[in-house]
Amino acid sequence: MSRIGNRVLTIPAGVEVNVDGNKVTVKGPKGTLEYVFRNSNVSVMVEDGKVSVTRKDDSKVSKQLHGTTNSNINNMLIGVSEGFKKELEIRGIGYRANMSGDAVILHIGYSHDITISPVPGSKISFTSATEIVVEGISKQAVGETAARIHDSRPPEPYQGKGIRYKGEYVRRKEGKTAGKK
């Protein structure tokens, strides 16, 4: 039994949801998102300002798609009304970031600079040279862009240098000790 799939989603004020066959279109103040689901396994109903997802049978695939479809539509409702945001911070001597058009150029200790373009549906901005903010209406696009930036130099456990999510805990290790007996 999918508990996530059974939840009824409330449509926020100013958001419009349309279902056309197996395509859901969500339009809100921040933009428009579309999602195509498998019509043979689940169905989406919109009535009285609420969205509900039902599965057609109890097969394993239908149960899996039931919760996934419900979660994706919920993320679309949140994205077009509030938006998503991930913050990253750069730590390390000489590590910094610059903008070039809409892409970010990272100077993070390699012999070359790393250029990362945002995934369509997200945008990159800065609060300082060492703090990066990724925003957008698509949770998938924001998460993928932030992950690509994070994975270009993940934080290392000995000195803590690298790019981390704001609030991410990095377990530190002690390192070698000379002459210990």
Side-chain angles (χ1 to χ4, degrees), residues 11-160:
I11 300 173
V15 176
E16 182 183 322
V17 179
N18 295 321
V19 179
D20 182 27
N22 65 337
K23 182 175 161 185
V24 177
T25 305
V26 180
K27 202 177 287 186
K30 293 202 175 249
T32 304
L33 291 172
E34 293 181 350
Y35 174 65
V36 178
F37 60 93
R38 284 172 80 174
N39 199 13
S40 61
N41 298 90
V42 295
S43 62
V44 178
M45 301 291 293
V46 178
E47 47 192 36
D48 299 330
K50 298 193 185 285
V51 178
S52 61
V53 179
T54 56
R55 63 177 182 252
K56 297 189 176 174
D57 56 18
D58 285 338
S59 68
K60 184 176 182 182
V61 174
S62 294
K63 288 179 180 180
Q64 292 169 343
L65 289 174
H66 187 212
T68 301
T69 303
N70 191 302
S71 291
N72 286 337
I73 293 171
N74 186 42
N75 288 339
M76 290 166 60
L77 292 171
I78 294 169
V80 298
S81 60
E82 302 168 20
F84 292 100
K85 177 178 173 180
K86 290 218 179 210
E87 298 177 350
L88 298 109
E89 50 189 27
I90 302 172
R91 290 199 186 164
I93 297 173
Y95 288 13
R96 66 190 184 288
N98 299 346
M99 286 296 285
S100 173
D102 61 343
V104 64
I105 298 174
L106 301 171
H107 309 279
I108 48 177
Y110 294 123
S111 62
H112 58 283
D113 298 337
I114 297 176
T115 304
I116 297 178
S117 299
V119 175
S122 65
K123 67 176 188 141
I124 301 171
S125 60
F126 292 98
T127 55
S128 72
T130 60
E131 293 182 3
I132 303 170
V133 179
V134 181
E135 297 175 300
I137 60 172
S138 171
K139 186 173 187 178
Q140 189 270 338
V142 170
E144 185 177 338
T145 302
R148 287 173 49 206
I149 293 170
H150 178 272
D151 292 344
S152 62
R153 177 71 101 173
E156 55 99 13
Y158 295 103
Q159 296 175 340

